[in-house]
């Protein structure tokens, strides 16, 4: 009889421990990002480039999560695919969307004017900003963010084309590079990561 | 009575045979079916757009898409987006200038891959717009299709 009640108490204790452990794990486990996490010792490179509405500095957006995308307006497949996915991300974020700023940096400064870039990016979302600058200024920013881009001969109709790294660099609210989204990251994954960064 | 019945039967069989032969003759060669042809909406400043679709070859001979034309585009080219050795994304005309659709197989033209590129857009690519496009096939010849401008699914 005594042994039986002892066994019962032990059983109840074990169940309680499991439930508590599971709750604690669920509550305090580290968030697993979908994007590739980068540990930056220093704040992200603070550039100044030109938009149709004046100069744009990365530091203008301290306190927001910034998405940097390098692309060009002639690009009809890869760039719109990515920008459309960010548009969907903004929709998924709902009220949090105003805590996110996408900046598209042109890798084709010879053909992309600030005005063209503005019309292009705002087609996807009214908050998106497009910037360009001198060849040297763009090259400097791209180098700092590990972005590769290279012009190559196209056809007579296309003119030259630009190969470019099609990832999205995520800069957290304190101005540190935090994540990289590879090309093709679904909006659901980006929205989950960004919502976390907005709250933490 | 019996005789005429037999005659009737023979005639019927002959008819069936002719029909089957005709069907066989028709089934020789490639047969291309185009499904879900669409293009993405894009702003006016984007001078180029891309069309996507599924090309199904239900025939028993290979065929290839060798080009296309449309009044909605200054020039139409067959392209593919690809990953460069540096890990960047690039775009280039398709190898050999054609997209082969093997007999019995399906080739997908989709975002980030094979696409029909519309250079120097002549019309606004707003959702709901229908673009008339003529596909040129190596063996099946010309095929006019309609491309719907819509958001990706
Ligand atoms: Cu193309």
């Amino acid at each position: 009889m005594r042994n039986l009640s002892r066994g019962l108490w032990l059983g109840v204790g074990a169940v309680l421990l499991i439930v508590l452990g599971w709750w604690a794990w669920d509550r305090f486990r580290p968030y697993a990002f979908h994007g590739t996490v980068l540990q930056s010792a220093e704040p992200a490179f603070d550039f100044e480039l030109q938009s149709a509405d004046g100069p744009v500095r990365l530091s203008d957006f301290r306190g927001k999560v910034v998405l940097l995308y390098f692309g060009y307006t002639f690009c009809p497949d890869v760039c719109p695919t990515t920008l459309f996915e960010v548009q969907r991300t903004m929709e998924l974020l709902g009220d949090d969307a105003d805590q996110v700023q996408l900046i598209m940096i042109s890798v084709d400064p010879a053909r992309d004017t600030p005005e063209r870039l503005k019309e292009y990016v705002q087609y996807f979302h009214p908050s998106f900003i497009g910037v360009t600058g001198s060849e040297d200024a763009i090259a400097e920013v791209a180098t700092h963010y590990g972005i590769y881009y290279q012009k190559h001969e196209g056809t007579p109709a296309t003119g030259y084309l630009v190969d470019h790294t099609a990832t999205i660099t995520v800069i957290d609210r304190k101005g540190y590079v935090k994540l990289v989204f590879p090309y093709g990251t679904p909006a659901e994954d980006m929205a989950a990561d960004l919502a976390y960064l907005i709250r933490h | 009575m019996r005789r005429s019945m037999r005659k009737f039967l023979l005639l019927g069989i002959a008819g069936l045979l002719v029909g089957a032969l005709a069907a066989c003759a028709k089934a020789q060669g490639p047969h291309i079916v185009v499904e879900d042809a669409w293009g993405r909406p894009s702003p006016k400043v984007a001078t180029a757009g891309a069309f996507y679709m599924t090309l199904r070859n239900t025939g028993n001979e290979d065929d290839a898409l060798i080009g296309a034309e449309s009044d909605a585009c200054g020039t139409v080219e067959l392209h593919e987006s690809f990953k460069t050795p540096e890990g960047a994304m690039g775009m280039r005309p398709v190898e050999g200038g054609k997209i082969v659709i093997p007999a019995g197989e399906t080739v997908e033209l989709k975002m980030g891959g094979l696409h029909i590129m519309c250079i120097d857009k002549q019309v606004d690519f707003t959702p709901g717009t229908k673009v008339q496009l003529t596909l040129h096939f190596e063996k099946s010849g010309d095929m006019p299709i309609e491309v719907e401008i819509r958001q990706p699914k």
Side-chain angles (χ1 to χ4, degrees):
Chain A
M1 195 60 189
R2 219 179 170 159
N3 268 343
L4 195 77
S5 74
R6 206 166 133 191
L8 206 80
W9 279 116
L10 267 171
V12 168
V15 167
L16 263 173
L17 215 74
I18 289 166
V19 168
L20 201 79
W22 182 81
W23 174 82
W25 159 250
D26 195 56
R27 178 82 174 69
F28 299 111
R29 71 177 156 185
Y31 174 75
F33 284 100
H34 300 275
T36 308
V37 179
L38 298 178
Q39 298 295 344
S40 322
E42 304 207 337
F45 176 68
D46 191 16
F47 54 82
E48 179 178 313
L49 293 168
Q50 304 307 313
S51 80
D53 300 309
V56 168
R57 269 169 243 95
L58 175 66
S59 50
D60 294 345
F61 305 100
R62 198 59 53 86
K64 286 192 181 192
V65 177
V66 175
L67 308 180
L68 291 187
Y69 180 68
F70 292 75
Y72 65 122
T73 67
F74 186 74
C75 163
D77 185 40
V78 167
C79 302
T81 299
T82 303
L83 291 174
F84 177 74
E85 219 50 29
V86 182
Q87 174 196 311
R88 277 187 57 224
T89 304
M90 298 299 264
E91 281 164 15
L92 290 169
L93 282 170
D95 290 342
D96 283 345
D98 59 8
Q99 297 301 307
V100 174
Q101 179 62 56
L102 176 124
I103 303 173
M104 171 163 148
I105 299 173
S106 175
V107 290
D108 186 10
R111 292 187 295 196
D112 285 342
T113 62
E115 289 71 28
R116 285 178 70 87
L117 281 162
K118 181 180 179 177
E119 201 183 324
Y120 186 78
V121 295
Q122 291 202 343
Y123 188 82
F124 295 93
H125 197 273
S127 76
F128 290 0
I129 295 175
V131 295
T132 183
S134 67
E135 299 269 358
D136 288 348
I138 299 286
E140 188 190 14
V141 181
T143 306
H144 273 97
Y145 287 96
I147 300 295
Y148 166 93
Y149 65 102
Q150 181 66 53
K151 271 189 213 179
H152 72 255
E153 196 76 29
T155 64
T158 62
Y160 65 84
L161 299 167
V162 189
D163 299 343
H164 60 94
T165 310
T167 55
I168 292 174
T169 306
V170 182
I171 294 155
D172 69 16
R173 297 189 301 158
K174 293 188 187 122
Y176 287 74
V177 173
K178 179 70 186 175
L179 290 176
V180 169
F181 291 131
Y183 171 69
T185 303
E188 288 73 14
D189 291 358
M190 290 197 280
D193 285 4
L194 297 177
Y196 181 87
L197 288 179
I198 290 164
R199 281 187 178 48
H200 291 83
Chain B
M1 190 63 185
R2 246 193 166 160
R3 247 198 160 159
S4 69
M5 190 117 147
R6 212 183 193 171
K7 212 170 169 184
F8 192 72
L9 212 78
L10 274 170
L11 257 169
I13 288 169
L16 274 174
L17 270 171
V18 168
L21 268 171
C24 271
K26 215 176 173 185
Q28 284 300 323
H31 185 250
I32 304 292
V33 182
V34 180
E35 283 164 11
D36 195 27
W38 70 283
R40 185 206 314 273
S42 57
K44 265 188 195 162
V45 285
T47 52
F51 300 138
Y52 310 101
M53 64 195 66
T54 301
L55 299 171
R56 205 181 288 282
N57 187 350
T58 60
N60 53 14
E61 208 180 299
D62 297 354
D63 204 348
L65 180 65
I66 50 172
E69 63 188 307
S70 172
D71 288 342
C73 319
T75 309
V76 181
E77 292 181 357
L78 307 180
H79 283 187
E80 69 176 330
S81 295
F82 69 106
K83 204 167 195 162
T84 72
E86 296 83 9
M89 290 302 289
M91 183 169 71
R92 63 186 169 205
V94 293
E95 223 185 308
K98 60 185 182 181
I99 297 170
V100 177
I101 312 138
E105 286 188 30
T106 298
V107 174
E108 291 231 45
L109 276 57
K110 57 174 192 251
M111 293 183 285
L114 293 167
H115 56 270
I116 297 177
M117 186 151 151
C118 175
I119 302 154
D120 291 325
K121 284 167 15 193
Q122 304 290 307
V123 296
D124 266 357
F125 279 28
T126 45
T129 303
K130 309 272 191 211
V131 175
Q132 305 303 320
L133 179 73
T134 302
L135 302 176
H136 302 309
F137 291 97
E138 204 165 57
K139 289 170 191 157
S140 300
D142 288 359
M143 186 186 294
I145 62 159
E146 193 175 76
V147 181
E148 188 197 355
I149 304 299
R150 63 160 173 82
Q151 294 295 352
K153 276 176 187 161

